[in-house]
Amino acid sequence: MESERIGIDITGKTLEELETEIILRVLKEEKNNQSQAAKRLGINRTTLWRKIKE
């Protein structure tokens, strides 16, 4: 069974805005578990923390 995927509307958004939206969505899906979110995003947990603080 294939899970339902929800796309992201990129119209008129900057790369920074898209990155923020993706990070927030993944964090929500991972119930704010930063380690799991970072793993899913393919980035270091420290990098994720820095991006959240920006």
Side-chain angles (χ1 to χ4, degrees):
M1 183 168 138
E2 189 174 323
S3 63
E4 186 177 326
R5 301 233 179 227
I6 300 171
I8 294 175
D9 180 17
I10 63 171
T11 308
K13 294 181 183 173
T14 66
L15 184 57
E16 185 177 346
E17 290 168 336
L18 291 171
E19 181 180 62
T20 300
E21 186 173 339
I22 291 167
I23 288 170
L24 292 176
R25 183 177 293 190
V26 171
L27 274 169
K28 181 178 178 184
E29 290 173 1
E30 295 298 336
K31 297 176 177 57
N32 289 321
N33 182 321
Q34 290 185 12
S35 295
Q36 281 300 114
K39 187 175 186 178
R40 241 179 95 186
L41 292 165
I43 60 176
N44 187 289
R45 190 177 164 279
T46 306
T47 302
L48 176 61
W49 180 83
R50 182 179 48 78
K51 289 181 178 291
I52 291 169
K53 293 297 177 190
E54 290 178 351

